[in-house]
Every structure is written in structure tokens, then in C-alpha cells.
Amino acid sequence: MQELEQRVSEADQRAEKAEKQIQVMEEKLKSANVQTGESENLLYKKYQDLTSQVQEKDAVIKRLEIQLEQQMLVRAQEAKIIEEKAAKIKDWVTFKLREMELENQQLKLANVKQTEQIVLLQDRLQ
């Protein structure tokens, strides 16, 4: 009987020890849940912040891409205008050069004629 009482006593002690361990584990679990909940909230807020930053940066990138495309179009148009102006200038210079060459030839002819007249006049004076 004593042996049974001793076994009961030991079983009671083990049961109390197990209950204490259970209480400690439950407290740890509650603490972990609170920390997990808090860290989940922090992570979720951080996730939302990062998501909004990514969206803002995507919007900025999109805006910059549009501006780049517009600038490329403007530069292409400006290049076309410059090419057209350069072609007009080239044509004008070519035209003026031909005009001046013609005028130069006429002046040479006039010079030759006048030189001949001077020679004739000099011959008459002598």
C-alpha cells in the first residue's frame, strides 16, 4: 500500500510538473503569437510601403519613357528640318556660285573687249 501511495505521490508530482510545463509553454506560445502578430503587422506595413514605392517608381519610369519618346520624335523632326534647311542652303550656294561664275565670265569678256578698245585707242593716238 505504501508503495502504491508513493507511486500516486510521484504521479501527482509528475502531473503538477507537467501542468507547470504546460502553463510555461502556453505563456511562451501566447508571447510568440503576440510577437508574430506584431511582426506580421510590421511586415505587412513594410510590404504596403514597398509596394507603393514600387508603384510610384513605375509611374516615374513610365513618365520618363514617354518624355524620352517625345524628345526622340522632336529630335527626329528637328533633324529633318535641319536637313531640309541644309539642302536649301546648298542649293542657294550652288545657284549663287553659278551666278558668280557667269558674271565672272562676262566681266572677263568685257575686260578683253575694253583691253582691245584701249589698244585701238592707243594705236589711233600714235
PDB file of all heavy atoms in Angstrom, residues 12-40:
ATOM      1  N   ASP A  12       1.415  12.322  -8.915  1.00  0.00           N
ATOM      2  CA  ASP A  12       0.889  13.665  -8.668  1.00  0.00           C
ATOM      3  C   ASP A  12       1.974  14.719  -8.941  1.00  0.00           C
ATOM      4  O   ASP A  12       1.708  15.762  -9.550  1.00  0.00           O
ATOM      5  CB  ASP A  12       0.365  13.805  -7.240  1.00  0.00           C
ATOM      6  CG  ASP A  12      -0.984  13.122  -7.054  1.00  0.00           C
ATOM      7  OD1 ASP A  12      -1.667  12.916  -8.090  1.00  0.00           O
ATOM      8  OD2 ASP A  12      -1.330  12.841  -5.906  1.00  0.00           O
ATOM      9  N   GLN A  13       3.163  14.433  -8.473  1.00  0.00           N
ATOM     10  CA  GLN A  13       4.271  15.371  -8.662  1.00  0.00           C
ATOM     11  C   GLN A  13       4.578  15.538 -10.165  1.00  0.00           C
ATOM     12  O   GLN A  13       4.804  16.636 -10.665  1.00  0.00           O
ATOM     13  CB  GLN A  13       5.527  14.897  -7.922  1.00  0.00           C
ATOM     14  CG  GLN A  13       5.425  15.043  -6.418  1.00  0.00           C
ATOM     15  CD  GLN A  13       6.650  14.445  -5.698  1.00  0.00           C
ATOM     16  OE1 GLN A  13       7.514  13.839  -6.321  1.00  0.00           O
ATOM     17  NE2 GLN A  13       6.687  14.610  -4.384  1.00  0.00           N
ATOM     18  N   ARG A  14       4.594  14.407 -10.844  1.00  0.00           N
ATOM     19  CA  ARG A  14       4.837  14.485 -12.291  1.00  0.00           C
ATOM     20  C   ARG A  14       3.714  15.241 -12.999  1.00  0.00           C
ATOM     21  O   ARG A  14       3.951  16.008 -13.925  1.00  0.00           O
ATOM     22  CB  ARG A  14       4.967  13.091 -12.881  1.00  0.00           C
ATOM     23  CG  ARG A  14       6.313  12.438 -12.572  1.00  0.00           C
ATOM     24  CD  ARG A  14       6.496  11.189 -13.397  1.00  0.00           C
ATOM     25  NE  ARG A  14       5.424  10.245 -13.131  1.00  0.00           N
ATOM     26  CZ  ARG A  14       5.574   8.996 -12.749  1.00  0.00           C
ATOM     27  NH1 ARG A  14       6.774   8.481 -12.608  1.00  0.00           N
ATOM     28  NH2 ARG A  14       4.552   8.221 -12.535  1.00  0.00           N
ATOM     29  N   ALA A  15       2.484  15.043 -12.542  1.00  0.00           N
ATOM     30  CA  ALA A  15       1.342  15.732 -13.129  1.00  0.00           C
ATOM     31  C   ALA A  15       1.451  17.233 -12.889  1.00  0.00           C
ATOM     32  O   ALA A  15       1.206  18.045 -13.789  1.00  0.00           O
ATOM     33  CB  ALA A  15       0.041  15.182 -12.564  1.00  0.00           C
ATOM     34  N   GLU A  16       1.829  17.620 -11.654  1.00  0.00           N
ATOM     35  CA  GLU A  16       1.994  19.042 -11.339  1.00  0.00           C
ATOM     36  C   GLU A  16       3.120  19.655 -12.187  1.00  0.00           C
ATOM     37  O   GLU A  16       2.987  20.759 -12.725  1.00  0.00           O
ATOM     38  CB  GLU A  16       2.309  19.228  -9.858  1.00  0.00           C
ATOM     39  CG  GLU A  16       1.113  19.027  -8.958  1.00  0.00           C
ATOM     40  CD  GLU A  16       1.479  19.155  -7.472  1.00  0.00           C
ATOM     41  OE1 GLU A  16       2.518  19.776  -7.170  1.00  0.00           O
ATOM     42  OE2 GLU A  16       0.715  18.645  -6.664  1.00  0.00           O
ATOM     43  N   LYS A  17       4.209  18.891 -12.297  1.00  0.00           N
ATOM     44  CA  LYS A  17       5.334  19.354 -13.095  1.00  0.00           C
ATOM     45  C   LYS A  17       4.906  19.527 -14.571  1.00  0.00           C
ATOM     46  O   LYS A  17       5.254  20.496 -15.232  1.00  0.00           O
ATOM     47  CB  LYS A  17       6.488  18.365 -12.985  1.00  0.00           C
ATOM     48  CG  LYS A  17       7.770  18.836 -13.610  1.00  0.00           C
ATOM     49  CD  LYS A  17       8.881  17.825 -13.357  1.00  0.00           C
ATOM     50  CE  LYS A  17      10.191  18.286 -13.986  1.00  0.00           C
ATOM     51  NZ  LYS A  17      11.282  17.341 -13.801  1.00  0.00           N
ATOM     52  N   ALA A  18       4.138  18.565 -15.065  1.00  0.00           N
ATOM     53  CA  ALA A  18       3.653  18.619 -16.438  1.00  0.00           C
ATOM     54  C   ALA A  18       2.726  19.815 -16.636  1.00  0.00           C
ATOM     55  O   ALA A  18       2.782  20.507 -17.657  1.00  0.00           O
ATOM     56  CB  ALA A  18       2.950  17.329 -16.793  1.00  0.00           C
ATOM     57  N   GLU A  19       1.854  20.081 -15.615  1.00  0.00           N
ATOM     58  CA  GLU A  19       0.944  21.220 -15.708  1.00  0.00           C
ATOM     59  C   GLU A  19       1.729  22.526 -15.750  1.00  0.00           C
ATOM     60  O   GLU A  19       1.399  23.446 -16.489  1.00  0.00           O
ATOM     61  CB  GLU A  19      -0.038  21.220 -14.536  1.00  0.00           C
ATOM     62  CG  GLU A  19      -1.157  20.196 -14.673  1.00  0.00           C
ATOM     63  CD  GLU A  19      -2.136  20.247 -13.499  1.00  0.00           C
ATOM     64  OE1 GLU A  19      -2.297  21.316 -12.879  1.00  0.00           O
ATOM     65  OE2 GLU A  19      -2.743  19.208 -13.213  1.00  0.00           O
ATOM     66  N   LYS A  20       2.785  22.597 -14.892  1.00  0.00           N
ATOM     67  CA  LYS A  20       3.618  23.801 -14.891  1.00  0.00           C
ATOM     68  C   LYS A  20       4.286  23.992 -16.264  1.00  0.00           C
ATOM     69  O   LYS A  20       4.356  25.094 -16.790  1.00  0.00           O
ATOM     70  CB  LYS A  20       4.676  23.727 -13.801  1.00  0.00           C
ATOM     71  CG  LYS A  20       4.124  23.944 -12.419  1.00  0.00           C
ATOM     72  CD  LYS A  20       5.234  23.877 -11.365  1.00  0.00           C
ATOM     73  CE  LYS A  20       4.634  24.023  -9.974  1.00  0.00           C
ATOM     74  NZ  LYS A  20       5.645  23.908  -8.914  1.00  0.00           N
ATOM     75  N   GLN A  21       4.761  22.878 -16.795  1.00  0.00           N
ATOM     76  CA  GLN A  21       5.394  22.957 -18.120  1.00  0.00           C
ATOM     77  C   GLN A  21       4.380  23.409 -19.174  1.00  0.00           C
ATOM     78  O   GLN A  21       4.692  24.187 -20.073  1.00  0.00           O
ATOM     79  CB  GLN A  21       6.002  21.613 -18.514  1.00  0.00           C
ATOM     80  CG  GLN A  21       7.289  21.297 -17.784  1.00  0.00           C
ATOM     81  CD  GLN A  21       7.861  19.939 -18.195  1.00  0.00           C
ATOM     82  OE1 GLN A  21       7.171  19.113 -18.794  1.00  0.00           O
ATOM     83  NE2 GLN A  21       9.121  19.727 -17.852  1.00  0.00           N
ATOM     84  N   ILE A  22       3.152  22.891 -19.038  1.00  0.00           N
ATOM     85  CA  ILE A  22       2.096  23.279 -19.967  1.00  0.00           C
ATOM     86  C   ILE A  22       1.825  24.775 -19.860  1.00  0.00           C
ATOM     87  O   ILE A  22       1.682  25.476 -20.868  1.00  0.00           O
ATOM     88  CB  ILE A  22       0.810  22.453 -19.727  1.00  0.00           C
ATOM     89  CG1 ILE A  22       1.032  21.013 -20.193  1.00  0.00           C
ATOM     90  CG2 ILE A  22      -0.387  23.069 -20.447  1.00  0.00           C
ATOM     91  CD1 ILE A  22      -0.101  20.083 -19.855  1.00  0.00           C
ATOM     92  N   GLN A  23       1.740  25.274 -18.601  1.00  0.00           N
ATOM     93  CA  GLN A  23       1.499  26.701 -18.400  1.00  0.00           C
ATOM     94  C   GLN A  23       2.638  27.545 -19.001  1.00  0.00           C
ATOM     95  O   GLN A  23       2.392  28.548 -19.667  1.00  0.00           O
ATOM     96  CB  GLN A  23       1.333  27.009 -16.902  1.00  0.00           C
ATOM     97  CG  GLN A  23       0.027  26.524 -16.317  1.00  0.00           C
ATOM     98  CD  GLN A  23      -0.044  26.764 -14.798  1.00  0.00           C
ATOM     99  OE1 GLN A  23       0.961  27.131 -14.175  1.00  0.00           O
ATOM    100  NE2 GLN A  23      -1.213  26.551 -14.223  1.00  0.00           N
ATOM    101  N   VAL A  24       3.861  27.091 -18.740  1.00  0.00           N
ATOM    102  CA  VAL A  24       5.009  27.822 -19.296  1.00  0.00           C
ATOM    103  C   VAL A  24       4.947  27.833 -20.826  1.00  0.00           C
ATOM    104  O   VAL A  24       5.167  28.856 -21.485  1.00  0.00           O
ATOM    105  CB  VAL A  24       6.345  27.215 -18.787  1.00  0.00           C
ATOM    106  CG1 VAL A  24       7.530  27.756 -19.569  1.00  0.00           C
ATOM    107  CG2 VAL A  24       6.503  27.461 -17.301  1.00  0.00           C
ATOM    108  N   MET A  25       4.638  26.669 -21.404  1.00  0.00           N
ATOM    109  CA  MET A  25       4.544  26.556 -22.860  1.00  0.00           C
ATOM    110  C   MET A  25       3.423  27.433 -23.411  1.00  0.00           C
ATOM    111  O   MET A  25       3.574  28.073 -24.454  1.00  0.00           O
ATOM    112  CB  MET A  25       4.329  25.101 -23.271  1.00  0.00           C
ATOM    113  CG  MET A  25       5.470  24.178 -22.931  1.00  0.00           C
ATOM    114  SD  MET A  25       6.891  24.516 -23.904  1.00  0.00           S
ATOM    115  CE  MET A  25       6.583  23.436 -25.248  1.00  0.00           C
ATOM    116  N   GLU A  26       2.272  27.453 -22.702  1.00  0.00           N
ATOM    117  CA  GLU A  26       1.159  28.288 -23.147  1.00  0.00           C
ATOM    118  C   GLU A  26       1.547  29.763 -23.114  1.00  0.00           C
ATOM    119  O   GLU A  26       1.216  30.520 -24.029  1.00  0.00           O
ATOM    120  CB  GLU A  26      -0.087  28.036 -22.285  1.00  0.00           C
ATOM    121  CG  GLU A  26      -0.785  26.726 -22.594  1.00  0.00           C
ATOM    122  CD  GLU A  26      -1.960  26.450 -21.656  1.00  0.00           C
ATOM    123  OE1 GLU A  26      -2.090  27.140 -20.616  1.00  0.00           O
ATOM    124  OE2 GLU A  26      -2.751  25.545 -21.969  1.00  0.00           O
ATOM    125  N   GLU A  27       2.257  30.174 -22.064  1.00  0.00           N
ATOM    126  CA  GLU A  27       2.694  31.563 -21.971  1.00  0.00           C
ATOM    127  C   GLU A  27       3.672  31.899 -23.101  1.00  0.00           C
ATOM    128  O   GLU A  27       3.594  32.962 -23.725  1.00  0.00           O
ATOM    129  CB  GLU A  27       3.341  31.832 -20.605  1.00  0.00           C
ATOM    130  CG  GLU A  27       2.338  31.874 -19.469  1.00  0.00           C
ATOM    131  CD  GLU A  27       3.003  32.035 -18.093  1.00  0.00           C
ATOM    132  OE1 GLU A  27       4.190  32.444 -18.048  1.00  0.00           O
ATOM    133  OE2 GLU A  27       2.341  31.755 -17.089  1.00  0.00           O
ATOM    134  N   LYS A  28       4.587  30.976 -23.353  1.00  0.00           N
ATOM    135  CA  LYS A  28       5.532  31.192 -24.448  1.00  0.00           C
ATOM    136  C   LYS A  28       4.799  31.291 -25.785  1.00  0.00           C
ATOM    137  O   LYS A  28       5.120  32.114 -26.637  1.00  0.00           O
ATOM    138  CB  LYS A  28       6.560  30.066 -24.505  1.00  0.00           C
ATOM    139  CG  LYS A  28       7.617  30.134 -23.438  1.00  0.00           C
ATOM    140  CD  LYS A  28       8.631  29.023 -23.614  1.00  0.00           C
ATOM    141  CE  LYS A  28       9.693  29.042 -22.516  1.00  0.00           C
ATOM    142  NZ  LYS A  28      10.662  27.950 -22.675  1.00  0.00           N
ATOM    143  N   LEU A  29       3.801  30.427 -25.953  1.00  0.00           N
ATOM    144  CA  LEU A  29       3.025  30.429 -27.179  1.00  0.00           C
ATOM    145  C   LEU A  29       2.273  31.747 -27.347  1.00  0.00           C
ATOM    146  O   LEU A  29       2.262  32.336 -28.433  1.00  0.00           O
ATOM    147  CB  LEU A  29       2.050  29.246 -27.195  1.00  0.00           C
ATOM    148  CG  LEU A  29       1.213  29.082 -28.453  1.00  0.00           C
ATOM    149  CD1 LEU A  29       2.104  28.853 -29.664  1.00  0.00           C
ATOM    150  CD2 LEU A  29       0.240  27.928 -28.300  1.00  0.00           C
ATOM    151  N   LYS A  30       1.647  32.209 -26.240  1.00  0.00           N
ATOM    152  CA  LYS A  30       0.930  33.483 -26.292  1.00  0.00           C
ATOM    153  C   LYS A  30       1.901  34.617 -26.643  1.00  0.00           C
ATOM    154  O   LYS A  30       1.610  35.474 -27.469  1.00  0.00           O
ATOM    155  CB  LYS A  30       0.238  33.774 -24.964  1.00  0.00           C
ATOM    156  CG  LYS A  30      -0.993  32.945 -24.721  1.00  0.00           C
ATOM    157  CD  LYS A  30      -1.601  33.285 -23.376  1.00  0.00           C
ATOM    158  CE  LYS A  30      -2.775  32.388 -23.042  1.00  0.00           C
ATOM    159  NZ  LYS A  30      -3.331  32.658 -21.714  1.00  0.00           N
ATOM    160  N   SER A  31       3.037  34.604 -26.008  1.00  0.00           N
ATOM    161  CA  SER A  31       4.054  35.622 -26.264  1.00  0.00           C
ATOM    162  C   SER A  31       4.513  35.559 -27.715  1.00  0.00           C
ATOM    163  O   SER A  31       4.674  36.580 -28.389  1.00  0.00           O
ATOM    164  CB  SER A  31       5.237  35.421 -25.317  1.00  0.00           C
ATOM    165  OG  SER A  31       6.277  36.293 -25.644  1.00  0.00           O
ATOM    166  N   ALA A  32       4.728  34.357 -28.197  1.00  0.00           N
ATOM    167  CA  ALA A  32       5.157  34.185 -29.586  1.00  0.00           C
ATOM    168  C   ALA A  32       4.079  34.660 -30.544  1.00  0.00           C
ATOM    169  O   ALA A  32       4.370  35.281 -31.565  1.00  0.00           O
ATOM    170  CB  ALA A  32       5.505  32.735 -29.849  1.00  0.00           C
ATOM    171  N   ASN A  33       2.818  34.352 -30.222  1.00  0.00           N
ATOM    172  CA  ASN A  33       1.708  34.790 -31.065  1.00  0.00           C
ATOM    173  C   ASN A  33       1.624  36.309 -31.107  1.00  0.00           C
ATOM    174  O   ASN A  33       1.369  36.898 -32.154  1.00  0.00           O
ATOM    175  CB  ASN A  33       0.379  34.208 -30.584  1.00  0.00           C
ATOM    176  CG  ASN A  33       0.207  32.758 -30.999  1.00  0.00           C
ATOM    177  OD1 ASN A  33       0.862  32.297 -31.913  1.00  0.00           O
ATOM    178  ND2 ASN A  33      -0.665  32.052 -30.318  1.00  0.00           N
ATOM    179  N   VAL A  34       1.810  36.950 -29.970  1.00  0.00           N
ATOM    180  CA  VAL A  34       1.762  38.405 -29.914  1.00  0.00           C
ATOM    181  C   VAL A  34       2.901  38.973 -30.761  1.00  0.00           C
ATOM    182  O   VAL A  34       2.711  39.876 -31.569  1.00  0.00           O
ATOM    183  CB  VAL A  34       1.847  38.906 -28.444  1.00  0.00           C
ATOM    184  CG1 VAL A  34       2.063  40.408 -28.405  1.00  0.00           C
ATOM    185  CG2 VAL A  34       0.577  38.540 -27.699  1.00  0.00           C
ATOM    186  N   GLN A  35       4.098  38.418 -30.567  1.00  0.00           N
ATOM    187  CA  GLN A  35       5.242  38.901 -31.340  1.00  0.00           C
ATOM    188  C   GLN A  35       5.049  38.611 -32.819  1.00  0.00           C
ATOM    189  O   GLN A  35       5.341  39.443 -33.672  1.00  0.00           O
ATOM    190  CB  GLN A  35       6.538  38.247 -30.845  1.00  0.00           C
ATOM    191  CG  GLN A  35       6.961  38.734 -29.478  1.00  0.00           C
ATOM    192  CD  GLN A  35       8.182  37.993 -28.964  1.00  0.00           C
ATOM    193  OE1 GLN A  35       8.622  37.028 -29.566  1.00  0.00           O
ATOM    194  NE2 GLN A  35       8.698  38.448 -27.833  1.00  0.00           N
ATOM    195  N   THR A  36       4.518  37.443 -33.119  1.00  0.00           N
ATOM    196  CA  THR A  36       4.278  37.079 -34.513  1.00  0.00           C
ATOM    197  C   THR A  36       3.245  38.025 -35.110  1.00  0.00           C
ATOM    198  O   THR A  36       3.413  38.495 -36.228  1.00  0.00           O
ATOM    199  CB  THR A  36       3.794  35.630 -34.620  1.00  0.00           C
ATOM    200  OG1 THR A  36       4.782  34.784 -34.040  1.00  0.00           O
ATOM    201  CG2 THR A  36       3.569  35.234 -36.064  1.00  0.00           C
ATOM    202  N   GLY A  37       2.213  38.305 -34.368  1.00  0.00           N
ATOM    203  CA  GLY A  37       1.173  39.225 -34.838  1.00  0.00           C
ATOM    204  C   GLY A  37       1.753  40.605 -35.076  1.00  0.00           C
ATOM    205  O   GLY A  37       1.454  41.251 -36.079  1.00  0.00           O
ATOM    206  N   GLU A  38       2.577  41.056 -34.126  1.00  0.00           N
ATOM    207  CA  GLU A  38       3.184  42.365 -34.295  1.00  0.00           C
ATOM    208  C   GLU A  38       4.124  42.375 -35.489  1.00  0.00           C
ATOM    209  O   GLU A  38       4.106  43.297 -36.308  1.00  0.00           O
ATOM    210  CB  GLU A  38       3.954  42.758 -33.025  1.00  0.00           C
ATOM    211  CG  GLU A  38       3.068  43.096 -31.851  1.00  0.00           C
ATOM    212  CD  GLU A  38       3.871  43.348 -30.573  1.00  0.00           C
ATOM    213  OE1 GLU A  38       5.108  43.285 -30.620  1.00  0.00           O
ATOM    214  OE2 GLU A  38       3.240  43.617 -29.549  1.00  0.00           O
ATOM    215  N   SER A  39       4.930  41.349 -35.610  1.00  0.00           N
ATOM    216  CA  SER A  39       5.875  41.324 -36.729  1.00  0.00           C
ATOM    217  C   SER A  39       5.129  41.143 -38.052  1.00  0.00           C
ATOM    218  O   SER A  39       5.536  41.681 -39.072  1.00  0.00           O
ATOM    219  CB  SER A  39       6.940  40.255 -36.533  1.00  0.00           C
ATOM    220  OG  SER A  39       6.366  38.988 -36.421  1.00  0.00           O
ATOM    221  N   GLU A  40       4.008  40.411 -38.028  1.00  0.00           N
ATOM    222  CA  GLU A  40       3.211  40.294 -39.242  1.00  0.00           C
ATOM    223  C   GLU A  40       2.668  41.660 -39.638  1.00  0.00           C
ATOM    224  O   GLU A  40       2.680  42.015 -40.813  1.00  0.00           O
ATOM    225  CB  GLU A  40       2.061  39.303 -39.044  1.00  0.00           C
ATOM    226  CG  GLU A  40       2.478  37.850 -39.123  1.00  0.00           C
ATOM    227  CD  GLU A  40       1.313  36.900 -38.886  1.00  0.00           C
ATOM    228  OE1 GLU A  40       0.166  37.359 -38.731  1.00  0.00           O
ATOM    229  OE2 GLU A  40       1.561  35.687 -38.864  1.00  0.00           O
TER     230      GLU A  40
END
